[in-house]
Amino acid sequence: MIEIKRPQDLARLRRMALGAQGLLQAQPYGRGLSGARKAIHHLGYVQIDTISVVERAHHHVIHSRVPQFKPEMTNQMLLNGDIFEYWSHAAAFLPMADFRFSLPYKQAIKSGQTHWYRERDQKLMGELLARIRSDGPLRSRDIETKAKKRAGWWDWKPAKKALEQLYMEGDLMVSSREGFQKTYDLTERVLPAHVDTQMPETADFAAHLLERQLCSHGLMSMKGLTYLRRSTDLRKAVKDLVQEKLALGELEQVKVSSGEIFVMEAGALERPVPRLNQRMLILSPFDNAVIQRDRLKALFDYDYQIECYVPEAKRKYGYFCLPLLYRGEFIGRMDCKAHRKLSHLEIKSLHLENHRFDEEQLIAAFAVAVAQFCDFQACNTVSLTQASPKPLESPLQSALKALKDEQESATDR
């Protein structure tokens, strides 16, 4: 086991993890639609979330890695059959190439081994399935109405549950999306003909998980390898596979100062890692790099919690704080809201952690990051209400004022 004691070794380990996530390179997967497709394939999933104070999390994650990405490209990838929507550890967009690994969970729900809804209305599910089979795709909005029941329609709550149950059991897939309005169709009509639909054995699934996690994260704890996977058999198979590969010398362990032990491919720590640059990234709270909070704390010493689920009186940083990544470290968080009707980004609070970086360079990087983030949010102006540490508030305000002047000048031209 390798023990990480020197700061430079920990810094290298962090760079390895961030490089595997595509967060150190300017365009690790390319640009636009093709870049987005490659990013999802590499990451293994992109979590879907409903919170809309800024651009949705699933778009934000891709934007952080793919220049010229546009939110409408996710639906284009659905239509093209590049990705599909299903449950990973949460609702997610997944590479179509991984479709067969969604089958065990679907089978578990259909067989009653696990539950999505405990009570299933089989009659209503059959009616909905027959309607879609005969009349074509059904939009979720078509049943989300509280209007009185009329011929050919159903009460909205039971019908919505029945539709979701059919989707979770695998009879239906999401064929397209307009915001959070989904269109459902029969799986056999959505699934491209070339896709492998063979049910994986538990050992195959374990090998897939291990490969995916190490590829997209570089190093993982045992807990992280099966993050929020409930299958006891799958967790055991992953543990057994890791032990086997450690014994064969294909994997090795590394221990950081927190005491956490990670596994990685043998020799990975000696491989070249991407160089650091002056770019700052404003990440989503649901970004693949930060979603495993225990790993984030152990590896980056960054104690992060999304506070939208915390009572307002107990919030420390704000409703929807976005992690700030700079030169291989998480150096702060920013609570903000995009006022879309006003095309204005309001930074309610900015908190910077203790750091060793040149403040002038850091503030300049922050201003550039905010400018790019404004563009992503379709916002023309930005404001900062408060910042900490307090001495940084004035230079930060000056940097954003310069950004505002530049934006106004560009508008005038």
Side-chain angles (χ1 to χ4, degrees), residues 61-82:
V61 170
I62 304 173
H63 162 78
S64 297
R65 296 161 172 82
V66 181
Q68 298 179 358
F69 168 76
K70 304 295 181 186
E72 58 268 21
M73 290 177 182
T74 51
N75 191 49
Q76 188 60 53
M77 287 186 285
L78 276 175
L79 294 171
N80 292 348
D82 299 320

Side-chain angles (χ1 to χ4, degrees), residues 280 324 331-333 350-355 362-363 366 387-389 392 396:
M280 181 179 292
L324 303 179
I331 54 90
R333 56 204 86 199
L350 174 68
H351 175 81
L352 296 176
E353 321 267 320
N354 291 329
H355 60 83
L362 187 149
I363 290 170
F366 174 73
S388 65
L392 289 180
L396 284 164

Side-chain angles (χ1 to χ4, degrees), residues 120-277:
R120 290 182 289 183
D121 190 332
Q122 295 285 11
K123 180 175 181 295
L124 182 52
M125 288 166 63
E127 291 175 357
L128 280 165
L129 206 56
R131 175 179 168 172
I132 293 171
R133 190 177 302 280
S134 62
D135 296 352
L138 181 68
R139 298 176 303 175
S140 53
R141 72 176 63 170
D142 291 336
I143 60 169
E144 291 180 0
T145 172
K146 295 183 181 180
K148 290 182 179 179
K149 187 176 180 182
R150 58 188 190 274
W153 294 79
W154 303 271
D155 293 336
W156 74 285
K157 280 188 178 179
K160 184 174 183 292
K161 288 175 66 174
L163 199 61
E164 289 179 0
Q165 186 72 27
L166 286 165
Y167 161 70
M168 292 304 297
E169 290 185 8
D171 294 295
L172 299 178
M173 289 181 69
V174 175
S175 59
S176 67
R177 234 180 199 276
E178 185 181 335
F180 269 79
Q181 289 293 334
K182 295 179 280 190
T183 298
Y184 295 93
D185 201 355
L186 301 177
T187 293
E188 59 261 34
R189 293 202 294 232
V190 176
L191 203 60
H194 66 272
V195 173
D196 187 350
T197 58
Q198 184 177 359
M199 179 74 72
E201 299 289 340
T202 302
D204 292 335
F205 203 166
H208 168 75
L209 274 183
L210 179 59
E211 180 185 1
R212 273 280 185 223
Q213 295 282 41
L214 292 180
C215 176
S216 63
H217 286 289
L219 64 157
M220 291 295 291
S221 66
M222 286 302 305
K223 178 182 176 181
L225 286 171
T226 53
Y227 179 64
L228 295 185
R229 299 279 180 175
R230 297 178 182 177
S231 170
T232 302
D233 289 344
L234 180 60
R235 290 200 299 267
K236 182 180 184 305
V238 170
K239 183 178 180 179
D240 290 346
L241 181 60
V242 169
Q243 293 302 324
E244 178 188 334
K245 288 183 174 292
L246 284 170
L248 291 172
E250 296 176 9
L251 296 178
E252 59 189 358
Q253 294 178 311
V254 60
K255 184 177 182 180
V256 296
S257 59
S258 66
E260 187 74 58
I261 296 173
F262 297 94
V263 296
M264 59 186 179
E265 291 183 358
L269 201 53
E270 283 73 49
R271 295 172 191 164
V273 291
R275 298 178 63 182
L276 298 176
N277 53 47

Side-chain angles (χ1 to χ4, degrees), residues 316-365:
K316 185 176 180 181
Y317 299 109
Y319 177 80
F320 200 64
C321 277
L322 310 179
L324 303 179
L325 176 65
Y326 178 66
R327 293 191 62 77
E329 297 183 23
F330 289 91
I331 54 90
R333 56 204 86 199
M334 180 177 82
D335 185 38
C336 58
K337 178 178 175 62
H339 298 274
R340 293 177 178 85
K341 291 183 179 179
L342 301 174
S343 299
H344 178 75
L345 180 70
E346 176 192 10
I347 302 175
K348 296 183 176 184
S349 68
L350 174 68
H351 175 81
L352 296 176
E353 321 267 320
N354 291 329
H355 60 83
R356 55 182 175 77
F357 300 114
D358 179 90
E359 289 183 353
E360 187 174 330
Q361 292 180 346
L362 187 149
I363 290 170

